[in-house]
Amino acid sequence: MAIELTEAGAGGGGGRREAAVNGRVEAGRDGGGGIGEKMSPAARLFHAPRFNCYILAIIGCKTGINPGVVKTGLEETLLKHPRFSSKMVGDVKRSGKMKWVQTKVNLDEHVIVPDVDPDMDSPDRFVEDYISYLTKTPLDMSRPLWELHLLNVRTSDAEAVGIFRIHHSMGDGASLMSLLLACTRKTADPEALPTIPGKKRVGTDNSGGFWWFFLALWSMFRLMCNTFVDLMVFVATFCFLKDTESLVKGGPGAAKATKRFVHRTVSLDDIKLIKNALNMTINDVVLGVTEAGLSQYLNRRYEGVSGKDQKSKKKKSNIPKKMHLRAAVLVNIRPTVGIQALNDMMAKKSKAKWGNWIGYILIPFNIGIEDDPLVYVRKAKATIDRKKLSLEAMITFACAELVLKLFGAKMASAIAHRILSHTTLAFSNVVGPQEEISFYGHPIAYLAPSVYGHPHALTIHFQSYVNKMTIVIAVDPDVISDPHQLCDDLEESLKTMKAALSEKELSTVVPIV
């Protein structure tokens, strides 16, 4: 998701419950007898005309979906969360007067079950068109800002599809996905919540005496230098620094353009194989795969533009030299609220922290044709390692909070829109459940979250689930008319890297004489 600003605590008084993305949310209370809870600055940001963002969560199921069962499950879980049972009251143009007010939810207005032909000729195309149409229609602001569409149509990778559409003002993407996962259960154990792998913390050994002290000083110096450089680039991006006008960069109207969503599932085991062989992280590999696949896609597109002979050298690059392309990437500044805590909040009406502190960083992409596909992964690792030794995410978060408090949502949205408009794409990677899960008794085949409403013509999201990785691509079809080809290139890049790794391992085997 392109940019996710954490909601600051809303002011309270007269016994009114304070609930905000950076605060605590208590389920089951009406926020002061219907008086309402003042909408936080960051929530108002996502109602700005040029930054009206929505989160999509596409759920492929292995069985047909029973709407009655889903509605019963929603009543027992999601509706007990204050955001999903509150409507927005106030004038968007006078954002300071906007607030959340508890209301009675009519599930028939939020759970949409269209009458579809189960024997249609092109079900995959139908689902894509259906989701794309949703991006043309806003949510009804007189009701809680979410809806769930249930499509009982068999596609190439699912028996039925559920589509959550949630307005971004209700929370940041990571927290909302955690909340949706808290509504699922393990398929093998219907009473157990999903297991999400945590980050491994590497301990530090300070027994090195002088050398340890020297390395600590050197790391601190690099941290300060990198942070300063990133801050200057951030300011320059706002002022004048723009990415190259490429064939995948959106124009001035990209934020309001109709979007098209496609996805492709690849093997998570293949990604882990490359990760382990090169001693890297999954983030390193998926970024390298994205750079390789996007390079191949652009090379093909520019070949058509230049009209070069297709019989020319295969490794000849058609991509313009010195192409400057960057991605806006989300970074969690603090750990996501746990699924168990969200489940307890819905089941026991307990308090839980709602949301994350989220900043974003600008990552330069390595675009070009490489003879060795593993070069993309090595360069991606160098980029990520460099960004890890920087406080860029914390700086962008602090700047966003400061602008929101001093100048309001209108100014903050204008700044965010300008910065993102000067970059090319949004990119993210989110870890998912380690075992198969069910959505109110319906086994899930895949998870495919994304976002729209931000000023990018291309958004690439990676979502892991069990032993699979789903690549979700959101595009402006007027800019990228063949998103399935981009999926093909990303999938092929992973296969090429795996083959190159196998070839490298074989070349190092010493023959037995």
Side-chain angles (χ1 to χ4, degrees):
M1 294 137 194
I3 173 174
E4 306 213 11
L5 299 174
T6 312
E7 297 185 29
R16 182 171 61 198
R17 172 179 55 84
E18 288 192 10
V21 168
N22 278 345
R24 292 180 179 271
V25 171
E26 184 174 357
R29 297 171 69 176
D30 65 4
I35 296 176
E37 172 201 339
K38 186 177 179 181
M39 187 175 287
S40 65
R44 299 198 302 268
L45 170 68
F46 290 110
H47 283 283
R50 294 195 299 173
F51 215 68
N52 192 20
C53 297
Y54 292 81
I55 293 171
L56 284 179
I58 305 168
I59 304 173
C61 294
K62 294 183 177 182
T63 62
I65 300 176
N66 186 326
V69 172
V70 171
K71 288 181 182 179
T72 300
L74 291 172
E75 289 178 347
E76 296 175 352
T77 54
L78 212 57
L79 292 193
K80 294 183 179 181
H81 190 286
R83 282 291 182 271
F84 284 78
S85 57
S86 298
K87 63 180 180 179
M88 184 193 74
V89 175
D91 187 356
V92 174
K93 294 182 179 179
R94 299 175 62 193
S95 60
K97 303 295 183 180
M98 296 165 65
K99 59 183 178 180
W100 299 109
V101 175
Q102 288 271 316
T103 185
K104 185 176 181 179
V105 179
N106 181 0
L107 275 178
D108 291 333
E109 296 177 340
H110 293 269
V111 180
I112 295 94
V113 187
D115 186 14
V116 298
D117 179 9
D119 300 319
M120 64 180 66
D121 293 333
S122 303
D124 291 77
R125 178 78 181 191
F126 169 80
V127 173
E128 288 180 19
D129 291 342
Y130 188 95
I131 299 174
S132 180
Y133 178 77
L134 292 180
T135 67
K136 301 178 182 179
T137 57
L139 287 171
D140 187 343
M141 294 295 169
S142 66
R143 301 196 288 256
L145 302 180
W146 67 275
E147 61 187 18
L148 171 61
H149 298 253
L150 303 179
L151 306 180
N152 274 307
V153 55
R154 179 184 295 179
T155 64
S156 59
D157 50 7
E159 292 293 320
V161 178
I163 306 151
F164 269 104
R165 183 165 66 141
I166 306 169
H167 198 275
H168 218 320
S169 61
M170 293 180 63
D172 64 80
S175 295
L176 288 170
M177 282 302 298
S178 294
L179 182 64
L180 295 182
L181 288 177
C183 298
T184 67
R185 294 294 184 269
K186 295 180 181 179
T187 302
D189 184 0
E191 299 298 322
L193 289 167
T195 303
I196 306 295
K199 293 182 179 180
K200 295 182 179 179
R201 295 186 178 274
V202 181
T204 56
D205 182 9
N206 59 359
S207 60
F210 171 77
W211 285 110
W212 178 89
F213 180 72
F214 175 77
L215 290 175
L217 286 179
W218 175 243
S219 297
M220 182 67 71
F221 175 74
R222 290 179 60 197
L223 179 70
M224 295 173 62
C225 289
N226 290 343
T227 301
F228 176 77
V229 171
D230 290 337
L231 177 59
M232 292 298 101
V233 171
F234 176 75
V235 173
T237 301
F238 169 71
C239 296
F240 61 87
L241 184 60
K242 300 180 182 180
D243 283 8
T244 304
E245 293 296 330
S246 67
L247 297 179
V248 295
K249 191 174 186 302
K256 295 184 178 181
T258 300
K259 295 300 191 297
R260 192 163 195 87
F261 299 84
V262 300
H263 69 271
R264 182 68 54 85
T265 300
V266 298
S267 172
L268 180 60
D269 291 335
D270 288 348
I271 294 175
K272 289 181 177 179
L273 177 68
I274 299 172
K275 158 190 167 290
N276 295 331
L278 300 180
N279 192 27
M280 296 182 179
T281 67
I282 289 180
N283 282 334
D284 298 333
V285 179
V286 297
L287 179 58
V289 168
T290 304
E291 292 178 342
L294 191 56
S295 294
Q296 293 296 334
Y297 177 79
L298 284 171
N299 191 51
R300 183 183 299 103
R301 288 279 304 271
Y302 278 109
E303 182 181 40
V305 171
S306 62
K308 290 186 177 181
D309 186 2
Q310 295 183 356
K311 295 182 180 180
S312 59
K313 295 182 180 180
K314 293 183 179 181
K315 294 298 180 181
K316 181 70 174 178
S317 177
N318 303 303
I319 300 173
K321 295 181 180 180
K322 297 182 180 180
M323 175 174 282
H324 183 61
L325 188 155
R326 293 172 297 169
V329 182
L330 285 183
V331 175
N332 287 336
I333 296 176
R334 71 177 182 182
T336 305
V337 60
I339 292 178
Q340 183 64 55
L342 291 171
N343 178 71
D344 291 343
M345 183 186 70
M346 293 184 291
K348 305 174 184 178
K349 299 184 179 181
S350 61
K351 294 182 179 180
K353 291 182 179 180
W354 174 237
N356 300 304
W357 288 14
I358 297 178
Y360 64 96
I361 61 178
L362 304 179
I363 288 191
F365 263 41
N366 170 40
I367 298 298
I369 300 302
E370 302 285 354
D371 292 328
D372 181 4
L374 297 179
V375 169
Y376 292 105
V377 184
R378 296 189 182 98
K379 290 184 177 181
K381 175 177 172 55
T383 299
I384 292 179
D385 287 348
R386 155 69 176 75
K387 288 294 183 178
K388 286 178 180 177
L389 206 59
S390 171
L391 300 178
E392 181 180 4
M394 298 183 69
I395 293 293
T396 56
F397 168 75
C399 289
E401 287 288 291
L402 183 62
V403 172
L404 279 166
K405 292 177 180 179
L406 295 180
F407 304 104
K410 186 175 181 180
M411 177 64 72
S413 67
I415 293 174
H417 185 277
R418 181 177 176 85
I419 291 173
L420 295 180
S421 297
H422 288 179
T423 62
T424 302
L425 74 152
F427 177 82
S428 62
N429 173 38
V430 174
V431 62
Q434 292 180 309
E435 60 281 297
E436 186 178 287
I437 59 175
S438 295
F439 179 63
Y440 302 127
H442 303 87
I444 292 177
Y446 67 85
L447 296 168
S450 192
V451 66
Y452 69 94
H454 56 291
H456 282 135
L458 174 62
T459 299
I460 301 178
H461 182 90
F462 284 77
Q463 174 70 57
S464 67
Y465 175 53
V466 195
N467 61 347
K468 298 177 289 187
M469 180 72 83
T470 300
I471 307 172
V472 191
I473 297 179
V475 303
D476 178 350
D478 291 334
V479 178
I480 301 174
S481 60
D482 53 350
H484 288 285
Q485 180 61 61
L486 179 54
C487 285
D488 292 340
D489 289 329
L490 292 170
E491 184 179 15
E492 185 60 30
S493 294
L494 177 60
K495 293 179 180 178
T496 303
M497 290 178 183
K498 182 182 178 183
L501 185 63
S502 299
E503 183 178 347
K504 180 181 177 181
E505 291 176 347
L506 288 175
S507 65
T508 58
V509 175
V510 179
I512 300 177
V513 180

